[in-house]
Amino acid sequence: MKIKWDRPILPAVLAVILTVLLAGCGLTDLKKTSEELKTLVLEQAEGLMGEAEEETQEEERKADRKSSDKDTDSSQEQEAGETKEPAEEAERIEVSAEKQMEYSDNYIYQTLDDEAKQVYHEVLTAALEHTEKVAVSTLDIDVLEKAYKAVCADYGGLFWMSGYVYTQYTRGGELISMDFSPKYTMEYEERMQIQQQIDASAEELLAGITMQSSEYEKAKYVFEILVQNVDYDTNAQNNQNIISVFLNRATVCQGYACATQYLLRILGMQSALVTGVANGESHAWNLVRINGNYYYMDTTWGNSRYLDGASQVEKYVNYNYLAVTSEEITRTHRIDDSFPMPECTSMEDTYFIQEHKYFTEWNPDAIGSLLRDTWEAGGGDVAVKFANPELYGQAVNYFITEQHITDYCTSISSIYYLEDKELYVLTFNL
């Protein structure tokens, strides 16, 4: 019997990254109504999102800086002819001890110094309250940008935001204050209407999980439900924010990462957006805390169509990047240096450990048993991971090159398989 062995072609990764504010909501009860969800969004301040491709972002940033320069000149002229102190022209926001406690479980917030933490609160509050302009408690534009990026990383749902403009005030050539003005893509009323639609969509997607589920089950569920229900599409509208995910069900890496963070927060789990480069392109993924340990999760790479768009096999969930260590993620991804990331070393809640598909020694019968059970149940996907490249190579040679898969899958005549040489994972589609 001759077996057809189809090997996938892995095209270059096309990804988009941008850090911009967004807001989400933290649910304590998945049965809440849309109206209750809307209230939680306003009260608990969750979320943030991306907006355009990297080139567009750079142009936007330049435009913002140019606008800021104009605002500075104009403000100096106005201030010179007025007795009112410039600092009084914009609202000042104080962070309460209660808010500090609320933010304390946000990973990126924890990495900031006290000055940036205060500005973080001012930026997030302005976005949630749809404020046109607020005075920030820093004169340093780098601190403002760092705080802004931190909010974007900690939250995944401020879909009505698209960057910001800052205004600096000087007196006698000395810088005395600075304002932050969010750039809104819609009016407050439209935002509330879209938020209700997002709430309903998120509730629908999370119908199959409960707050009582384990943190591993929650992480796995969010990973699966997004891959299964949302396509990777570079032409999708609003693909830099969660509108594309929850309303259009088509997005790119930024949308996947924002939606992953958004849903995990609803389920009571800490997660943050991570940006960097993968396969030579800008990319976004997540840091997630599971049972006290940190892991990286790349939902975009969980979509089999993303890495293998030419495949004739129906889209399936690729679990290779459901929960991986720092050492593993850096084999294929390069994290930017915006914020210090934790050293993720635990493997306890990785997919392959939890699902008993991780092999530290050569055991062909155990692997074959997994293949046989899936084949006899009607077929499907089976992914197995090995502790080192030697075991991985041995499995490829035994089951594929020597075709011993026929010893376990009776009458099999065709198979699709995917090799992940970086993570030592072999995936069979039976």
Side-chain angles (χ1 to χ4, degrees):
M1 177 180 60
K2 185 177 181 180
I3 297 179
K4 178 184 176 184
W5 304 100
D6 297 324
R7 298 191 60 171
I9 300 174
L10 303 183
V13 176
L14 177 60
V16 183
I17 296 182
L18 177 64
T19 50
V20 269
L21 290 166
L22 289 152
C25 63
L27 297 184
T28 56
D29 183 351
L30 296 182
K31 298 299 183 181
K32 290 184 181 294
T33 65
S34 296
E35 187 64 25
E36 291 172 320
L37 292 174
K38 180 181 71 174
T39 301
L40 283 170
V41 172
L42 296 176
E43 292 177 349
Q44 296 189 16
E46 325 262 9
L48 108 158
M49 197 176 315
E51 158 208 64
E53 298 185 5
E54 188 173 297
E55 292 181 358
T56 304
Q57 179 191 14
E58 184 61 25
E59 292 303 316
E60 184 96 346
R61 210 77 188 98
K62 291 178 180 178
D64 285 354
R65 292 297 176 92
K66 183 180 293 185
S67 176
S68 299
D69 293 340
K70 291 181 179 179
D71 289 344
T72 302
D73 294 339
S74 175
S75 299
Q76 290 173 355
E77 292 173 2
Q78 293 174 3
E79 186 268 330
E82 297 177 354
T83 57
K84 186 176 183 181
E85 291 292 326
E88 297 177 0
E89 294 180 0
E91 177 185 357
R92 285 202 172 275
I93 300 173
E94 297 298 329
V95 57
S96 65
E98 182 181 359
K99 280 295 181 184
Q100 289 179 334
M101 183 65 68
E102 178 185 324
Y103 298 152
S104 66
D105 196 45
N106 294 341
Y107 176 79
I108 304 299
Y109 175 83
Q110 297 172 17
T111 69
L112 304 176
D113 60 26
D114 289 342
E115 180 183 21
K117 285 179 177 178
Q118 171 65 30
V119 179
Y120 175 109
H121 171 67
E122 293 159 352
V123 166
L124 181 56
T125 301
L128 292 170
E129 296 183 355
H130 224 92
T131 305
E132 292 300 323
K133 180 171 66 174
V134 296
V136 290
S137 52
T138 185
L139 301 179
D140 190 333
I141 59 174
D142 291 332
V143 172
L144 173 59
E145 183 167 2
K146 190 176 188 68
Y148 173 77
K149 287 182 176 180
V151 170
C152 295
D154 276 335
Y155 294 93
L158 296 178
F159 56 86
W160 58 93
M161 301 287 296
S162 177
Y164 67 94
V165 175
Y166 65 89
T167 308
Q168 295 177 312
Y169 299 89
T170 61
R171 177 182 293 115
E174 181 181 355
L175 183 63
I176 60 172
S177 65
M178 182 163 63
D179 292 344
F180 167 80
S181 300
K183 295 177 64 178
Y184 299 119
T185 60
M186 61 189 69
E187 297 298 327
Y188 179 80
E189 292 74 17
E190 182 182 2
R191 163 191 160 185
M192 287 295 98
Q193 293 174 359
I194 293 177
Q195 184 66 63
Q196 288 184 336
Q197 297 175 55
I198 290 174
D199 293 340
S201 178
E203 186 173 8
E204 177 186 349
L205 290 174
L206 293 177
I209 194 74
T210 70
M211 294 299 292
Q212 289 68 47
S213 300
S214 72
E215 290 196 341
Y216 168 75
E217 290 171 334
K218 291 175 181 178
K220 179 185 176 186
Y221 182 88
V222 168
F223 190 84
E224 291 175 333
I225 205 70
L226 288 175
V227 169
Q228 292 165 351
N229 289 274
V230 182
D231 292 327
Y232 182 85
D233 184 358
T234 57
N235 295 316
Q237 293 184 345
N238 293 298
N239 62 23
Q240 294 297 295
N241 64 56
I242 60 173
I243 293 177
S244 60
V245 174
F246 295 113
L247 303 192
N248 303 331
R249 301 295 170 92
T251 193
V252 294
C253 64
Q254 182 77 12
Y256 272 123
C258 288
T260 296
Q261 192 280 332
Y262 189 85
L263 292 180
L264 287 175
R265 181 176 288 273
I266 290 177
L267 294 173
M269 293 182 62
Q270 186 202 87
S271 177
L273 273 69
V274 181
T275 58
V277 174
N279 282 0
E281 300 285 348
S282 296
H283 194 55
W285 60 100
N286 296 90
L287 176 74
V288 57
R289 186 176 63 193
I290 306 176
N291 295 320
N293 296 314
Y294 284 103
Y295 303 86
Y296 289 103
M297 177 188 297
D298 191 336
T299 309
T300 306
W301 283 34
N303 184 339
S304 64
R305 290 288 188 186
Y306 175 73
L307 289 178
D308 190 14
S311 171
Q312 299 302 308
V313 176
E314 185 178 351
K315 181 178 72 173
Y316 62 89
V317 180
N318 183 336
Y319 292 99
N320 297 15
Y321 287 84
L322 168 55
V324 297
T325 66
S326 295
E327 190 277 327
E328 290 173 324
I329 197 72
T330 53
R331 296 178 196 173
T332 53
H333 297 51
R334 187 176 77 248
I335 303 170
D336 68 30
D337 58 359
S338 297
F339 305 100
M341 290 289 112
E343 190 62 28
C344 307
T345 58
S346 175
M347 295 186 65
E348 182 180 350
D349 285 300
T350 61
Y351 169 80
F352 295 96
I353 294 290
Q354 286 289 322
E355 306 297 330
H356 309 293
K357 296 178 179 179
Y358 183 72
F359 294 89
T360 59
E361 59 184 25
W362 181 238
N363 190 340
D365 285 340
I367 300 168
S369 178
L370 292 172
L371 297 172
R372 181 176 54 245
D373 291 346
T374 301
W375 175 250
E376 293 179 350
D381 306 309
V382 181
V384 288
K385 183 171 183 173
F386 301 92
N388 56 61
E390 290 74 27
L391 283 172
Y392 170 80
Q394 194 170 0
V396 171
N397 183 64
Y398 184 82
F399 286 100
I400 297 175
T401 305
E402 298 179 1
Q403 301 185 9
H404 283 290
I405 190 172
T406 59
D407 299 342
Y408 304 95
C409 302
T410 306
S411 74
I412 188 171
S413 60
S414 179
I415 184 175
Y416 173 90
Y417 66 95
L418 178 67
E419 295 184 70
D420 188 334
K421 297 179 180 179
E422 286 80 13
L423 294 186
Y424 318 139
V425 176
L426 186 58
T427 302
F428 299 88
N429 182 271
L430 305 175

